[in-house]
Amino acid sequence: YPSMIVGVCTIDLHIAESGSLKSKRHVLRSIKDRLKGRFNISVAEVEDQDLWQRVTLGVACIGTDNAQVNRVLDHVIDFVEEIPDVEVIEATIEII
């Protein structure tokens, strides 16, 4: 059987313009939809659900090659860093 590689990425974000949970959810939904549409990944808010300006996203990617999975998650981070009004505080990648 081919090996299965799972990559997990955690991205901590600051959304300075968010003034309520409703506006945060609007921005978050847009980010998640754009990521899912562009990359073959799963993405969810995994922490900080009650904070207005803070988001922690969990991103998962599955493949058969370490380098390919790592590359996809690097591209995800780069993509999020280019989104206006969103600051990446920290991003980590773990290959399982």
Side-chain angles (χ1 to χ4, degrees):
Y1 294 102
S3 62
M4 179 174 64
I5 307 300
V6 178
V8 179
C9 178
T10 304
I11 306 172
D12 294 321
L13 302 174
H14 181 256
I15 306 169
E17 299 298 317
S18 179
S20 68
L21 286 177
K22 185 176 180 180
S23 65
K24 172 189 169 178
R25 300 270 184 260
H26 177 73
V27 171
L28 181 58
R29 185 172 28 257
S30 172
I31 292 170
K32 288 169 48 178
D33 289 347
R34 290 168 66 188
L35 288 172
K36 288 177 184 178
R38 175 115 190 230
F39 304 97
N40 189 18
I41 60 165
S42 294
V43 59
E45 182 180 14
V46 294
E47 289 181 24
D48 304 319
Q49 286 94 338
D50 295 333
L51 301 177
W52 293 359
Q53 297 182 332
R54 182 81 185 249
V55 176
T56 301
L57 292 178
V59 178
C61 177
I62 297 175
T64 57
D65 178 69
N66 275 8
Q68 184 264 341
V69 169
N70 199 60
R71 190 169 39 255
V72 168
L73 294 175
D74 279 337
H75 289 353
V76 167
I77 294 168
D78 292 343
F79 184 82
V80 173
E81 287 177 335
E82 296 299 320
I83 296 173
D85 302 322
V86 174
E87 176 189 355
V88 174
I89 299 167
E90 184 178 3
T92 60
I93 295 174
E94 180 180 356
I95 304 296
I96 302 169

